[in-house]
Amino acid sequence: MSAESWALSWSQPWDAALDRLQEDLDRAEAQLSAESPAAGWPDGACLPVVPDRAGPLPEHLGDRARGLLARTDALAHRVAGELSRTGRELRQLTDRAPEPGAAGRRGRRHPAYLDTRA
């Protein structure tokens, strides 16, 4: 086995792990950017991607790994911002909701449920 083929076989598990991480990041970023994100993720998505018994990350993959780490950090901040925004919106909605049994504007009562059979 040549030194080059040995190096490639050593980095292959890391290449595959970084590919999977990149795909998960692409999917998460696309869902955050979509007006109506797709529901659900494939089984096993976003699980740790460190390959078993692969050894240390090969030096030539360091820049790629650092780039993916930066994207992961940016995505985490973006998700935190979205969660905060969603929490504020939910509080605003619940603040406007009438108390159960209380009369709404102009004396109307708000329905307690929605009859979808009608």
Side-chain angles (χ1 to χ4, degrees):
M1 177 181 274
S2 72
E4 185 177 321
S5 64
W6 180 82
L8 287 175
S9 69
W10 177 48
S11 71
Q12 191 280 330
W14 281 107
D15 280 320
L18 293 176
D19 287 345
R20 181 171 174 195
L21 179 58
Q22 184 169 351
E23 290 169 7
D24 286 347
L25 284 168
D26 291 343
R27 186 179 303 113
E29 289 168 343
Q31 284 192 335
L32 280 176
S33 298
E35 287 293 319
S36 155
W41 282 66
D43 286 343
C46 293
L47 293 176
V49 294
V50 176
D52 291 336
R53 297 182 294 277
L57 180 73
E59 189 175 325
H60 70 279
L61 295 176
D63 287 341
R64 181 177 179 206
R66 281 186 285 279
L68 291 172
L69 178 60
R71 281 181 63 193
T72 302
D73 287 344
L75 183 63
H77 288 287
R78 190 170 166 197
V79 167
E82 288 296 314
L83 287 172
S84 179
R85 182 186 61 78
T86 301
R88 281 191 307 272
E89 289 176 1
L90 286 172
R91 279 190 300 281
Q92 288 174 351
L93 288 172
T94 56
D95 288 347
R96 287 188 224 154
E99 292 294 320
R105 288 187 194 136
R106 294 184 221 131
R108 292 181 297 181
R109 293 196 176 268
H110 295 277
Y113 64 92
L114 175 64
D115 186 355
T116 58
R117 296 173 292 163

